[in-house]
Amino acid sequence: MKFSSKLNGAPSASQIIFPPSMAFDMQTKTILTIIGAIQIFIGTFLWIQAVIVRDAGIMSAAFDLKAPGQTITPEVYLVVASTVDTVGAFNIGIGAMLLSLRNLEVEPAKMVLRGAMILGLIALTISAAFNEIFMEGGPPLPVWILLTIFVSLSAYGYMKGTGNPTNESS
C-alpha cells in the first residue's frame, strides 16, 4: 500500500483511518445533508414521543428496568417529557443548522464537520455510553446506530471531504 505523506513516506492519520483502498470521494454538501437529516430525524422522533404520544411508549422499557412495578404518574411523565421534548427540539435545531450550512466552501464546511464530530463524540461517550454503563440503560439501538453514522460521516468529511462541483476549492 503506497501512502503519500510529507513525513518520510509515513501514512497520515486520515490515510490510516480511511486507506486509499476506500477510494471514494464524498462532497461536504452531501455529508452535511445526511448528518443534518439524522439530527432532524432523531429530534422529531423524540419530540413526537414526548408531545404527541404523551405516554411512556418507547421509554416504558427504561421505566420498567429502573423502577420495576412502579406506576408512572402524569406528573412524573410531565417532568420526563419536558426534558425529552427540549432535547428533541435541540436536535431539530442542530439538524436545520447543518442543512443551512451545506453550501459552504470546503474549508469552512470541514470546520463545521469538525464541530459536528465533536458534538457526536460527546453525545456517544458522555451521554449514551455513560447512561449505558452507569445508569443501567442508554438510548435504543437505532439511536446508537444513527449517532455512530453521524460521528463517522462527520470525521470523514472533516478529514477527506471534497468540494461541491459549483464551489470546489480544494
Side-chain angles (χ1 to χ4, degrees), residues 23-99:
F24 61 91
D25 290 329
M26 189 175 281
Q27 296 176 358
T28 55
K29 180 176 184 169
T30 304
I31 295 170
L32 287 167
T33 302
I34 293 169
I35 67 173
I38 287 172
Q39 287 296 316
I40 290 172
F41 178 76
I42 292 172
T44 302
F45 179 75
L46 289 172
W47 195 84
I48 287 171
Q49 171 63 44
V51 176
I52 296 174
V53 174
R54 309 273 316 159
D55 186 10
I58 62 157
M59 296 184 289
S60 64
F63 285 126
D64 290 342
L65 178 67
K66 294 181 180 187
Q70 300 295 316
T71 302
I72 303 167
T73 65
E75 293 80 13
V76 169
Y77 178 76
L78 185 61
V79 169
V80 173
S82 66
T83 302
V84 172
D85 77 336
T86 301
V87 171
F90 270 95
N91 282 96
I92 293 168
I94 291 168
M97 179 193 70
L98 291 168
L99 289 175

Side-chain angles (χ1 to χ4, degrees), residues 2 14 16 27 35 46 49 51 56 65 70 83 90 105 107 122 141-142 148 153 157 159:
K2 183 180 178 190
S14 66
I16 292 170
Q27 296 176 358
I35 67 173
L46 289 172
Q49 171 63 44
V51 176
L65 178 67
Q70 300 295 316
T83 302
F90 270 95
E105 297 290 328
E107 291 310 310
I122 289 170
L141 183 60
T148 303
L153 282 175
M159 291 188 269

